[in-house]
Amino acid sequence: MPTLAQSFLKLPTRSKLAIGVSALGIVAVMFFMVRLASAPSYTTLAAGLAPSDTGKVTAALDAQGIAYQLSSNGTSIAVEKASAAQARIALAQQGVATSSLSTQKGFELFDQQKLGASDFQNQVTYQRALEGEIARTIQQVQGVQGAQVQLVMPQDSLFADEATPATAAVMLAGPSTGLESGAVRGIAQLVASSVKGLKTENVTITDGTGQLLWPQGDGTGAVGGGATGKLAAETRYESALQASLNALLVQTLGPGKARVQVKADLNVDKTTLSKVQVDGKPVAAKDTLETERLRGGAAGAGGTAGTGANIPTYSANAAGAGANSNYQRRSQTVDNIVPRTVTHTDVAPGGVNSLQVALVVDKSVSAADYAAIQKAVQGAAGFNQTRGDIFQASQVAFPKPAAAPKAGPVPVTMLGPLKWVGLGLATLVFMFFMSRHLKRREGEAIASPAWLREIEEPVSLAQLEAPSPEQATMILPPRAQARSAQALEQLMDREPDRVAAQVRQWMSED
């Protein structure tokens, strides 16, 4: 029995070439399938972003050392599927919104308006559309991840004292730590300007934690004011500084080589600073001279009751003094002006009281790089030892990432698709060789059997009686004649008339 190799060698050259090309094609397809399965799979994290938002997202991902890919001219960001959850957490910590969290619709509600709607339905639709448009506008504010707006529209009344004022309630998604200074006041002014008759004091703004942001806070400084505003301001400052420092470390040492943590103490008290500066010598601006003179004449002593009557000498002295009085007083007042400059400055809150910076570097980093990284981090963080800042740096061995389980040459998830791909390729190869074989058979002449040609073609009686070449060459033994046949032949020879009459009788009976 010939082996497979022998059968292959007996094939024509064209068949060998076709089999070789098919085998190479199958190997190439399998290689690309395995390469595709082993390559990192990316999933879209955010799409339709503005260029400014793309920069914020990439900065947050760089700070965490998460790899990403940009597409659609920088408006779409994709990360590895294994890092998708970590990327979303990193963006949430930085207060970066990647999608619209509001489900409210705007004025497109009127596109679905039915014919014959009542005035009340039109009014309700308009209110819902206005709420949706305001929510979309609020979402464009930096640090706002989502917003829900509820309006109470004023009702027209004949009497002004019975009219109800317009009010608005705004719910911001997530905590308010990502909002910039003055953002709350801006949102309140925006909502009030979007609704007729709405005042800013009738707007209520809360965040996802339930904290009241407006009208409690003034929106000019830290959100909410007090201890909560100080905590929010410190959180924003720490997050921004940590993000920039970690991005510097990732770009310098690579991901997973160093990590920095910042704790800040900010001064969020709003103060006024007055400064007086003397510009020259004093100058006399006003000189006032006052003179007072008192003159007295002779007057008799009265006999009034009291001390004068009991003490005669006192009365005489007093009378003499009154007769000779000549009192004169002179005073001079000079007002001098000192040239000076008085400056009143409102000190904005947000000054840094102190910083605490902790730097941890992997032991795989060399000593020279470790020292250089410390100086770079101190300079980037604005470290000031005289202010009381604290900087701690250490070099430890980072834990190695858990090794992914070793899979076979083909991932388990790809076994099903590869099985169907292999079956399809095998079917294509089988059909290819079958078609070649059928085409080859079509080109060959098909020999029909002799009996079929004899049936289809007309043959004369002489040709049929004539022995065939096979029969002519074949020598058969003499055949013994039967006894009944011999007796019949003898009867026909002796009495031919009788035999003919008998045959005619049989024919007439039929």
Side-chain angles (χ1 to χ4, degrees), residues 8 11 30 41 58 75 103 119 158 162 230 238 247 258 264 300 335 369 371 400 404-405 500:
F8 178 77
L11 293 174
M30 294 292 294
S41 179
T58 54
T75 60
T103 57
D119 293 340
L158 182 60
E162 296 180 358
K230 177 179 174 62
E238 293 168 359
D335 294 337
D369 294 341
K400 296 182 179 180

Side-chain angles (χ1 to χ4, degrees), residues 46-58:
L49 296 175
S52 58
D53 295 335
T54 303
K56 297 175 186 177
V57 174
T58 54

Side-chain angles (χ1 to χ4, degrees), residues 124-147:
V124 172
T125 303
Y126 172 75
Q127 180 175 341
R128 291 178 56 196
L130 187 58
E131 292 172 351
E133 294 295 332
I134 296 175
R136 291 178 181 176
T137 307
I138 295 175
Q139 288 175 5
Q140 299 179 13
V141 178
Q142 183 178 0
V144 177
Q145 301 180 11

Side-chain angles (χ1 to χ4, degrees), residues 445-478:
I446 301 177
S448 58
W451 60 269
L452 182 59
R453 292 196 302 269
E454 292 176 356
I455 293 176
E456 293 178 351
E457 299 177 359
V459 182
S460 62
L461 182 59
Q463 292 178 352
L464 291 176
E465 291 179 352
S468 62
E470 293 84 1
Q471 294 176 354
T473 58
M474 186 181 299
I475 302 175
L476 297 176

Side-chain angles (χ1 to χ4, degrees), residues 52-139:
S52 58
D53 295 335
T54 303
K56 297 175 186 177
V57 174
T58 54
L61 296 179
D62 287 335
Q64 299 295 329
I66 300 174
Y68 59 87
Q69 287 183 347
L70 296 177
S71 58
S72 301
N73 295 327
T75 60
S76 179
I77 299 178
V79 297
E80 296 183 9
K81 286 186 177 180
S83 305
Q86 183 182 359
R88 292 189 178 93
I89 294 174
L91 296 181
Q93 290 178 348
Q94 299 297 330
V96 179
T98 59
S99 62
S100 177
L101 302 181
S102 176
T103 57
Q104 290 179 296
K105 295 183 178 180
F107 284 109
E108 64 268 16
L109 290 173
F110 286 98
D111 298 337
Q112 306 173 359
Q113 193 74 3
K114 296 181 180 180
L115 184 63
S118 62
D119 293 340
F120 176 75
Q121 291 176 338
N122 290 332
Q123 184 179 0
V124 172
T125 303
Y126 172 75
Q127 180 175 341
R128 291 178 56 196
L130 187 58
E131 292 172 351
E133 294 295 332
I134 296 175
R136 291 178 181 176
T137 307
I138 295 175
Q139 288 175 5

Side-chain angles (χ1 to χ4, degrees), residues 139-184:
Q139 288 175 5
Q140 299 179 13
V141 178
Q142 183 178 0
V144 177
Q145 301 180 11
Q148 291 284 339
V149 179
Q150 302 293 332
L151 299 177
V152 176
M153 305 297 290
Q155 299 292 333
D156 296 335
S157 177
L158 182 60
F159 303 98
D161 54 350
E162 296 180 358
T164 57
T167 58
V170 180
M171 180 73 175
L172 303 180
S176 60
T177 56
L179 291 177
E180 298 293 338
S181 300
V184 175

Side-chain angles (χ1 to χ4, degrees), residues 5-292:
Q6 294 175 354
S7 301
F8 178 77
L9 293 175
K10 291 180 180 180
L11 293 174
T13 305
R14 296 183 61 183
S15 300
K16 294 179 182 179
L17 184 60
I19 294 176
V21 172
S22 301
L24 289 177
I26 294 174
V27 172
V29 171
M30 294 292 294
F31 173 76
F32 283 112
M33 291 292 292
V34 173
R35 184 73 177 272
L36 181 63
S38 60
S41 179
Y42 283 82
T43 179
T44 301
L45 179 66
L49 296 175
S52 58
D53 295 335
T54 303
K56 297 175 186 177
V57 174
T58 54
L61 296 179
D62 287 335
Q64 299 295 329
I66 300 174
Y68 59 87
Q69 287 183 347
L70 296 177
S71 58
S72 301
N73 295 327
T75 60
S76 179
I77 299 178
V79 297
E80 296 183 9
K81 286 186 177 180
S83 305
Q86 183 182 359
R88 292 189 178 93
I89 294 174
L91 296 181
Q93 290 178 348
Q94 299 297 330
V96 179
T98 59
S99 62
S100 177
L101 302 181
S102 176
T103 57
Q104 290 179 296
K105 295 183 178 180
F107 284 109
E108 64 268 16
L109 290 173
F110 286 98
D111 298 337
Q112 306 173 359
Q113 193 74 3
K114 296 181 180 180
L115 184 63
S118 62
D119 293 340
F120 176 75
Q121 291 176 338
N122 290 332
Q123 184 179 0
V124 172
T125 303
Y126 172 75
Q127 180 175 341
R128 291 178 56 196
L130 187 58
E131 292 172 351
E133 294 295 332
I134 296 175
R136 291 178 181 176
T137 307
I138 295 175
Q139 288 175 5
Q140 299 179 13
V141 178
Q142 183 178 0
V144 177
Q145 301 180 11
Q148 291 284 339
V149 179
Q150 302 293 332
L151 299 177
V152 176
M153 305 297 290
Q155 299 292 333
D156 296 335
S157 177
L158 182 60
F159 303 98
D161 54 350
E162 296 180 358
T164 57
T167 58
V170 180
M171 180 73 175
L172 303 180
S176 60
T177 56
L179 291 177
E180 298 293 338
S181 300
V184 175
R185 173 178 289 276
I187 293 175
Q189 293 285 354
L190 187 148
V191 176
S193 301
S194 302
V195 181
K196 180 181 179 180
L198 180 60
K199 299 180 180 179
T200 54
E201 57 266 22
N202 293 332
V203 178
T204 302
I205 303 176
T206 58
D207 62 359
T209 62
Q211 178 185 352
L212 181 63
L213 307 180
W214 184 268
Q216 176 182 348
D218 58 357
T220 58
V223 177
T228 305
K230 177 179 174 62
L231 178 61
E234 291 175 348
T235 303
R236 289 197 303 270
Y237 182 80
E238 293 168 359
S239 300
L241 187 56
Q242 285 178 190
S244 61
L245 295 177
N246 286 321
L248 175 64
L249 295 175
V250 170
Q251 295 174 0
T252 306
L253 302 178
K257 294 294 184 179
R259 184 70 180 171
V260 68
Q261 193 76 20
V262 178
K263 178 65 178 176
D265 181 16
L266 301 182
N267 182 10
V268 296
D269 298 333
K270 185 178 180 181
T271 59
T272 302
L273 178 63
S274 299
K275 183 179 180 181
V276 179
Q277 181 178 357
V278 179
D279 298 332
K281 296 181 178 181
V283 177
K286 184 179 181 181
D287 189 356
T288 304
L289 179 62
E290 296 181 355
T291 302
E292 182 180 6

Side-chain angles (χ1 to χ4, degrees), residues 479-490:
R479 182 179 180 182
Q481 207 172 25
R483 292 182 180 181
S484 58
Q486 293 178 359
L488 182 59
E489 289 181 356
Q490 292 177 2

